[in-house]
Amino acid sequence: ANFSEQVVESFPSDISTGIYYGWACVGNGDVHKMVLSIGWNPFYKNIKKSVETHIIHTFKEDFYGEILSIVIIGYIRPEKNFDSLEALISAIQEDIEEAKRQLDLPEHLKLKEDNFFHLREGKIVNNH
């Protein structure tokens, strides 16, 4: 799930590029583990900064147009380039496994239940 350019531009300018982990919620649905990439994705030679969320869950249908709420909890590694698509895929799988391990820690699990994810439907927070 990629954030729009407008949302990406609203992220703090001093946030380090790289791979993060945390919690994500689509619409008013359940909260799931996620991995987040912030940066230029050097393997794909992007010219615009992007914020891409990989929700560790299989959805039954697309959720285009839904509100995606995230809480970033920790940092896994810096952004880097890869020699092959296979190396990129392998790193992504390692990032997912690290996120799962971290998010199972009690201090991170409790954030899954944070009121942030249970705002009234349609409530706008910080213009988002």
Side-chain angles (χ1 to χ4, degrees):
N2 299 343
F3 284 104
S4 69
E5 278 186 46
Q6 180 185 6
V7 172
V8 173
E9 290 169 3
S10 72
F11 266 63
S13 59
D14 60 348
I15 193 166
S16 297
T17 60
I19 310 303
Y20 294 81
Y21 62 89
W23 297 105
C25 178
V26 176
N28 291 316
D30 293 334
V31 179
H32 301 286
K33 295 174 179 175
M34 66 92 177
V35 177
L36 184 80
S37 169
I38 299 175
W40 286 269
N41 301 322
F43 183 78
Y44 292 104
K45 299 175 177 42
N46 289 1
I47 57 171
K48 289 193 176 221
K49 190 175 193 178
S50 67
V51 177
E52 300 175 358
T53 309
H54 173 78
I55 302 171
I56 305 170
H57 176 76
T58 302
F59 290 88
K60 293 179 183 172
E61 54 192 39
D62 289 336
F63 50 85
Y64 292 103
E66 290 285 344
I67 293 175
L68 174 60
S69 302
I70 64 169
V71 172
I72 300 171
I73 296 177
Y75 186 75
I76 297 175
R77 64 174 174 83
E79 181 179 48
K80 61 183 180 181
N81 200 353
F82 296 91
D83 295 331
S84 66
L85 181 58
E86 292 77 19
L88 171 60
I89 291 169
S90 177
I92 290 170
Q93 291 304 321
E94 290 172 19
D95 297 337
I96 290 169
E97 292 308 312
E98 178 64 14
K100 288 178 182 178
R101 281 190 296 275
Q102 292 295 326
L103 291 165
D104 281 338
L105 295 173
E107 62 268 27
H108 295 151
L109 272 174
K110 69 180 180 184
L111 294 170
K112 179 180 182 181
E113 305 304 323
D114 192 273
N115 285 337
F116 171 77
F117 291 117
H118 304 290
L119 297 172
R120 287 177 303 153
E121 185 174 348
K123 183 173 180 181
I124 303 297
V125 178
N126 295 331
N127 298 318
H128 296 78

